[in-house]
Amino acid sequence: MLRNIILALILFLPLCSLQAQEFTLTGRVVDSHDSPIELASVSCLSQGKATMTDLKGHFSISLRSADSVAVKFSMIGYKSKTRILRRPRGKQTLRITLLPMDALSEVVVTEKRRQTTATEQLDIKNLKDNPSASGNAVEELIQQQAGVSSHNELSSQYNVRGGSFDENSVYINNVEIYRPLLIRSGQQEGLSIINPDMVESIGFSSGGFEAKYGDKMSSALDITYRRPTRSELSASMSLLGGTAFAAVGNKRLSMSHAMRYKTNRYLLGSLETKGEYRPNYLDYQTFISYRPDSLWTIDFLGNISENHYNFLPTDRETSFGTMEDVKSFKVYFDGQEKDVFRTFFGSLAVSRLLGSKLQTKISLLASAFYSKEQERYDIQGQYWLDDTQNSENLGVGTYMEHARNYLTSKVASVKMMVNHKSRKHDIEGALTMKFEDIKEKASEYEMRDSSGYSIPHNPDRLDLIYTLRSSNHINTTRLEGYLQDTYRFASHGERQSFFTLNYGLRFSHWSFSGETTVSPRVSIAMVPAFNSDVTFRFSTGLYYQAPFFKELRDTVTTDGVTRAVLNNKIKSQQSIHFVGAFDYRFKMKDRPYKFSAEAYYKLMHNLIPYNVNNVKITYYGGNQCDGYAAGLDLKLYGEFVPGTDSWVTFSLMSTKQKMNGKWVPMPTDQRYAVNVHFTDYFPGTEKWKMTLRLAIADGLPFGAPHSGLEHQDFRAPAYKRADIGMSYCLYERGSHGSSKSAIKNAWIGIDCLNLFGINNVNSYYWVTDVTNQQYAVPNYLTGRQINVKLSIKL
C-alpha cells in the first residue's frame, strides 16, 4: 500500500510542477511582405492574458505552462491565427505571419479600430438597412455623428461644428468631388454621387484633419470604393425608388456597375404645399480596376446622373402661432417649375509599386467634372392671412416668383501622388493642377402686391421686392500640393506608451485672385502605458477655404435692379483649429463599447457672410467678418444589444461672427444636438431586426429677409425627428437546408418616417401688409409617411 502511494506521488509531482511553471513567449508578427504589424493583439484567452506588439512587431508575454497552450494573434484587417504550444517551458520564440482579410469573407469584429489620427473610420455594417427619407445612406450616417447636424431630411448636405454646407470636402478614391451649384431645396437634390453599394470604407474628420485633405474649413469625408473578387448581384426597390448592383472580379480584374432611381413624389405629398410633384433622379456608376501584375494598378471611376424636378403647385394652407393666437395662411397657386441638373464625372488612376519590398507607391490621377444646370419657374400665389380667433383678415395679396437660371461648370484636374511606407513612417505627398470653367446666366425677381400696393411701396415707380440679374464667366487654374508624414514610435522602458504623430504642410495658389496660401497641420495621439484602452489625441492646424464660384458673387444695386458681379479681390477664409480628444474602450457584460469626447475651438478670420434659405446659400461676396466656434462633442458607441451596433451622441456649441462691430450668431449656430441610433433583434430570432433613429437639434437663427445678419433676432423651433424601420429576412441561403441556391438572402422591410408626425420648420415665408408689419409663415418639412422596401442579394 505504501509503495503504491509513493509511486503515485512520484508520477503526480512532476505534473504539478509543470502546471505551476511559467514560460515566456516572445516573437515577431509580420505581414505577407515581411513588414512588422504594430499594435497587433497577442492573447491567451484561457489564462486571461494579453499584450500588443510594439512598432517593430515584437511581443513578449509570460504564461503558465500546460499540456497545451493556445495563443491567438489578431489585427484589424488581417486573418487571425492561433498557435498551439505543447508543454512549453523556459523561453519560446515564434514568428507569425498574418495574411490580409478577404474583403468579401464573413467577418465577426470583436474590437473596433483604434483612432490615432483626426480621421475616424466609420463602421459601414448594415449601412443600407437604416430607415431613410433621402436615400443617401452615407450622408445620413455622417449626419448622425457628433458635431454634425442637418435640419432637412430631404437633403444630403450637413453642417459640421458651425460650418456651412460648402465647408465640407468629399473624396472618392483620392479625387475631390463637386456638387451642382443651383440646388436651393432638398426637394430638388436627388441622390449624391456616393453609391452605398460600392463603398468599402468611410473615413470622416470633423476638424483638425490632415494636410492631404483639401482647402475646406470644417470637415473631410474620405470614401474608398471596393474591388470585388467574385461575382455579385443585388437589387432593391421601395416606394421611393430602386437600385441595382452587379459586379465580377478576380485577382486581376474587378468591375462594378450600379444604377439608382429615386422619386420622392410619394414623400413630397406630405408637404403642406399641394400640387403635382414629378421629381425623378437616375444615375449610373461604374468602377473598373485592373491589375496586370503585382506592380501596376489601373482604376477607372465613371458617373452619369440626370435629375429632373417638375412641380405644378395648386394650394397651401398653414396654421401657425400659439395656442392663444393662431394664424391661418392660405395660398392658391398658378404656374409651374421645371429644373434639370445633369452631371458627368470620370477619373482615371494609374499606380505603380516601387522598391525591393514594394514600400513606395506612385500614382497619376486625372479627373473631369461637368454639370449643366437649369432652374426655371414662374409661380403666382394669391394669399389670405387670417386671425382664426376672431376671423379677422390680417392681409391679402399676390406674389409672383420668376427665375431663368442657367449654369455650366467644368472642372478638370491632374494629380501626381507618392506614398512611401517604412517601419515607422508613412510619408505621402501630391501635386495637383485644377482647371475651372464656369458660365452663369441668371434672371430672378419676386413681386409682392399686398392689398393693392406693391411692396416696397414707391409712389413714383414700381419697385420689386427682389430682383437679380447675372451674366458671368470665369476661367481659372489652381495649383495645390501637400506633404505629410505619419510617424509611429514608442517610449522607452518595460512599460511602453505608443505615439502617432502626423504632421504636414499644404499650399495652394489661385490664378483668379493671385492668392497663395500655406497651411501647416499637426496631430498627435498617445496610448499610455498605464492603460492600453485609453487614447489621448490633440490636433491643430491652419485651414484656408479658397472661394469657389458662389462665394465670388458680389451684388451691386442700381435703380432697383441688383446685378451679380465677380469679386476678384476676395481672399480665402481662414480658420485655426484646436481639438483635444479622449477615447476610452471598455467592456460591459462582455460586450465592447467606446466612449469619445472632443473639445474644440476654431478661430476664424476673413469670413464671407451668407444667408441660408432651405439649402440655398447666398454669400455677401466679400470678406467682412471674423468669428469663432467652440464646443464639446460626446459619443458612446457599442453593442447595446449583442451582435448589433448602436450609439448616442451629444453636442454643445456656440458660434458667432463679428459683423459691423456687432457679435451675432452664425446662421448655423446650433447650440445643442442629440442623436440616437439603436439597433435590436426581436427576442428569440435574428430574422426580425429593428432600427430606430432619433434626432433633436436646436433651432437656427433667422430674421426678416433683406434685413441683414445683424438683425436675425429670432430662432426657429428645435428640429425633432424619429424614424423607425423593421426588416424581416424572407430567405437566407442554408437556412432551409439548401446551400446551392442562387439567392444569398432576401429581406423585406417597412419604415415609418417621422414616426411622431412632428412639423419641423425648414424656412419661413414672410408676408407684409400695407402697414409694413411682417408675419413669418413657417414652411414645414415632410410629415409621417410609410415606406416599404424589398432587397435581394445573389
Side-chain angles (χ1 to χ4, degrees):
M1 182 66 178
L2 182 61
R3 185 180 64 179
N4 292 336
I5 294 174
I6 295 174
L7 182 61
L9 289 174
I10 293 174
L11 295 175
F12 180 72
L13 286 175
L15 294 176
C16 293
S17 176
L18 179 63
Q19 291 178 351
Q21 183 178 358
E22 287 194 349
F23 73 98
T24 301
L25 179 65
T26 63
R28 192 165 185 245
V29 180
V30 298
D31 60 18
S32 56
H33 299 297
D34 204 33
S35 298
I37 300 178
E38 64 270 14
L39 301 181
S41 175
V42 181
S43 59
C44 180
L45 299 181
S46 62
Q47 300 185 21
K49 291 188 176 182
T51 188
M52 291 189 301
T53 60
D54 61 19
L55 297 180
K56 298 180 181 180
H58 294 127
F59 67 91
S60 178
I61 185 172
S62 295
L63 299 171
R64 297 190 309 274
S65 185
D67 286 340
S68 63
V69 178
V71 182
K72 183 179 180 181
F73 302 86
S74 60
M75 180 63 185
I76 297 295
Y78 295 87
K79 295 180 180 179
S80 299
K81 183 174 289 187
T82 301
R83 285 292 183 89
I84 306 296
L85 306 178
R86 301 296 181 184
R87 296 184 180 180
R89 296 184 181 183
K91 185 176 181 180
Q92 303 284 323
T93 302
L94 292 177
R95 180 182 176 86
I96 302 298
T97 301
L98 297 184
L99 300 178
M101 181 71 71
D102 183 356
L104 295 176
S105 61
E106 295 293 332
V107 182
V108 178
V109 179
T110 59
E111 181 178 295
K112 304 302 179 184
R113 180 181 300 179
R114 186 189 300 270
Q115 182 181 350
T116 56
T117 66
T119 301
E120 179 184 8
Q121 295 298 317
L122 302 182
D123 191 348
I124 64 173
K125 184 174 64 175
N126 302 323
L127 178 65
K128 300 176 293 181
D129 299 336
N130 301 324
S132 171
S134 70
N136 296 295
V138 173
E139 285 83 357
E140 289 188 343
L141 176 65
I142 300 300
Q143 290 168 2
Q144 291 183 282
Q145 303 307 307
V148 184
S149 64
S150 173
H151 287 73
N152 191 337
E153 64 270 9
L154 296 173
S155 175
S156 64
Q157 304 194 57
Y158 49 87
N159 307 109
V160 180
R161 292 178 175 173
S164 73
F165 303 139
D166 296 330
E167 295 179 19
N168 308 309
S169 60
V170 179
Y171 290 82
I172 298 180
N173 293 357
N174 295 311
V175 177
E176 188 171 5
I177 302 302
Y178 295 87
R179 297 174 180 264
L181 299 177
L182 291 184
I183 295 288
R184 75 178 195 283
S185 68
Q187 294 94 305
Q188 298 172 305
E189 274 198 24
L191 295 170
S192 77
I193 188 176
I194 304 173
N195 191 319
D197 286 314
M198 306 176 75
V199 172
E200 180 182 63
S201 65
I202 301 175
F204 179 70
S205 175
S206 54
F209 40 89
E210 301 96 310
K212 69 177 182 179
Y213 297 121
D215 299 314
K216 301 288 187 179
M217 292 197 302
S218 290
S219 74
L221 176 60
D222 192 353
I223 303 294
T224 301
Y225 276 0
R226 60 191 180 95
R227 297 177 173 89
T229 57
R230 59 187 178 188
S231 298
E232 296 180 53
L233 187 63
S234 64
S236 67
M237 63 184 71
S238 73
L239 297 178
L240 302 179
T243 67
F245 174 77
V248 294
N250 51 44
K251 292 183 178 180
R252 286 196 173 187
L253 177 67
S254 67
M255 186 181 303
S256 303
H257 302 277
M259 292 193 69
R260 295 179 295 172
Y261 173 74
K262 175 187 175 181
T263 174
N264 51 8
R265 181 177 183 176
Y266 167 69
L267 196 60
L268 297 180
S270 65
L271 297 176
E272 289 193 333
T273 300
K274 304 302 180 183
E276 185 177 353
Y277 290 91
R278 292 181 296 177
N280 60 82
Y281 175 93
L282 180 67
D283 91 331
Y284 164 75
Q285 200 160 157
T286 182
F287 178 49
I288 302 173
S289 180
Y290 176 56
R291 293 177 173 174
D293 53 39
S294 61
L295 302 179
W296 289 91
T297 302
I298 303 173
D299 295 333
F300 172 76
L301 174 63
N303 173 255
I304 301 174
S305 68
E306 183 89 4
N307 183 12
H308 292 260
Y309 179 74
N310 298 325
F311 177 42
L312 283 78
T314 57
D315 61 89
R316 165 186 174 175
E317 183 172 355
T318 302
S319 297
F320 64 100
T322 64
M323 294 292 292
E324 295 78 17
D325 184 18
V326 180
K327 303 289 190 300
S328 175
F329 182 66
K330 297 181 181 179
V331 188
Y332 295 93
F333 295 101
D334 289 318
Q336 63 179 334
E337 177 176 358
K338 289 187 176 182
D339 305 329
V340 179
F341 305 92
R342 185 177 295 115
T343 61
F344 301 87
F345 170 76
S347 70
L348 179 67
V350 180
S351 303
R352 173 72 154 82
L353 294 175
L354 304 174
S356 58
K357 294 185 178 181
L358 305 181
Q359 294 176 312
T360 302
K361 180 180 179 181
I362 183 169
S363 304
L364 179 64
L365 300 90
S367 66
F369 170 82
Y370 173 82
S371 175
K372 187 173 184 179
E373 308 171 40
Q374 300 177 11
E375 184 183 45
R376 298 166 294 176
Y377 57 82
D378 288 285
I379 297 177
Q380 177 180 278
Q382 296 179 332
Y383 66 85
W384 287 262
L385 179 65
D386 299 320
D387 189 331
T388 61
Q389 302 296 323
N390 52 26
S391 301
E392 178 185 359
N393 181 261
L394 301 176
V396 60
T398 301
Y399 68 86
M400 173 75 179
E401 295 178 342
H402 165 90
R404 293 293 184 273
N405 299 331
Y406 305 92
L407 186 140
T408 302
S409 57
K410 304 173 186 175
V411 180
S413 69
V414 179
K415 182 177 183 179
M416 178 65 73
M417 185 174 174
V418 179
N419 181 278
H420 176 74
K421 293 184 178 181
S422 62
R423 189 175 62 185
K424 293 185 177 181
H425 295 269
D426 187 350
I427 303 172
E428 182 178 317
L431 189 65
T432 306
M433 179 69 77
K434 295 182 180 179
F435 307 91
E436 302 169 355
D437 187 286
I438 301 175
K439 294 180 181 180
E440 174 206 33
K441 189 172 184 180
S443 176
E444 302 179 11
Y445 68 78
E446 180 181 353
M447 182 273 292
R448 293 189 189 177
D449 185 333
S450 180
S451 300
Y453 292 90
S454 179
I455 299 175
H457 180 63
N458 190 326
D460 299 325
R461 66 184 183 193
L462 178 64
D463 284 339
L464 301 178
I465 193 170
Y466 167 74
T467 178
L468 177 68
R469 293 180 182 177
S470 177
S471 180
N472 294 301
H473 180 206
I474 182 173
N475 193 327
T476 66
T477 59
R478 299 181 194 262
L479 179 63
E480 302 173 355
Y482 69 88
L483 181 64
Q484 69 173 42
D485 177 30
T486 302
Y487 174 44
R488 296 178 175 89
F489 60 98
S491 62
H492 299 288
E494 183 177 351
R495 300 185 63 188
Q496 292 182 319
S497 296
F498 296 94
F499 297 87
T500 301
L501 174 66
N502 178 278
Y503 55 97
L505 192 69
R506 184 177 186 89
F507 78 91
S508 175
H509 176 79
W510 191 28
S511 65
F512 182 75
S513 63
E515 183 185 28
T516 300
T517 60
V518 179
S519 306
R521 306 173 187 181
V522 63
S523 68
I524 188 169
M526 180 183 72
V527 180
F530 63 82
N531 192 336
S532 62
D533 291 322
V534 171
T535 305
F536 297 102
R537 293 181 284 114
F538 177 78
S539 59
T540 184
L542 177 60
Y543 297 83
Y544 288 95
Q545 175 147 338
F548 200 60
F549 184 76
K550 289 195 295 184
E551 294 95 320
L552 298 176
R553 298 171 80 244
D554 199 358
T555 55
V556 177
T557 302
T558 306
D559 295 331
V561 178
T562 303
R563 298 184 181 276
V565 296
L566 302 183
N567 180 9
N568 62 357
K569 298 185 182 300
I570 201 167
K571 295 181 180 180
S572 297
Q573 300 179 88
Q574 183 188 105
S575 178
I576 303 176
H577 292 194
F578 301 94
V579 183
F582 166 81
D583 298 331
Y584 176 57
R585 303 185 303 172
F586 62 97
K587 284 193 174 183
M588 185 182 298
K589 295 184 177 180
D590 203 32
R591 299 198 295 267
Y593 291 87
K594 176 184 174 182
F595 173 75
S596 300
E598 290 194 7
Y600 62 90
Y601 181 79
K602 298 195 293 186
L603 182 63
M604 294 173 278
H605 182 58
N606 278 342
L607 294 179
I608 305 172
Y610 59 88
N611 290 301
V612 180
N613 184 16
N614 202 310
V615 299
K616 181 181 180 180
I617 299 179
T618 304
Y619 289 91
Y620 278 49
N623 305 100
Q624 302 180 22
C625 297
D626 293 336
Y628 73 87
L632 176 67
D633 294 331
L634 306 176
K635 181 179 180 180
L636 177 62
Y637 179 99
E639 292 188 10
F640 292 28
V641 175
T644 68
D645 293 327
S646 303
W647 63 87
V648 179
T649 68
F650 176 69
S651 300
L652 295 173
M653 182 186 69
S654 174
T655 177
K656 293 184 178 181
Q657 58 188 350
K658 192 172 185 180
M659 189 169 186
N660 298 326
K662 179 182 178 181
W663 284 100
V664 297
M666 286 190 176
T668 55
D669 182 38
Q670 178 181 278
R671 296 170 297 187
Y672 65 87
V674 179
N675 280 287
V676 177
H677 183 104
F678 180 73
T679 305
D680 194 5
Y681 290 101
F682 278 51
T685 178
E686 292 188 357
K687 284 182 172 292
W688 280 99
K689 182 170 62 175
M690 183 275 294
T691 301
L692 175 66
R693 295 175 49 191
L694 298 174
I696 302 175
D698 186 26
L700 301 178
F702 73 97
H706 317 297
S707 60
L709 292 175
E710 60 269 37
H711 298 292
Q712 290 197 343
D713 302 322
F714 307 101
R715 190 173 285 270
Y719 180 86
K720 304 173 184 177
R721 186 175 175 91
D723 297 327
I724 189 170
M726 289 179 287
S727 301
Y728 177 72
C729 182
L730 295 172
Y731 177 84
E732 187 167 11
R733 184 188 297 164
S735 60
H736 294 76
S738 173
S739 59
K740 297 182 180 180
S741 173
I743 300 177
K744 184 177 181 181
N745 58 57
W747 287 79
I748 187 171
I750 182 170
D751 298 339
C752 184
L753 307 174
N754 196 357
L755 176 64
F756 301 115
I758 299 173
N759 289 327
N760 288 305
V761 178
N762 183 9
S763 58
Y764 289 88
Y765 181 79
W766 290 81
V767 177
T768 308
D769 61 18
V770 291
T771 64
N772 208 30
Q773 184 173 352
Q774 294 182 308
Y775 298 88
V777 182
N779 297 317
Y780 293 119
L781 286 162
T782 58
R784 184 190 296 113
Q785 291 289 89
I786 300 296
N787 183 33
V788 179
K789 54 188 180 182
L790 174 68
S791 63
I792 299 176
K793 183 178 293 186
L794 304 180

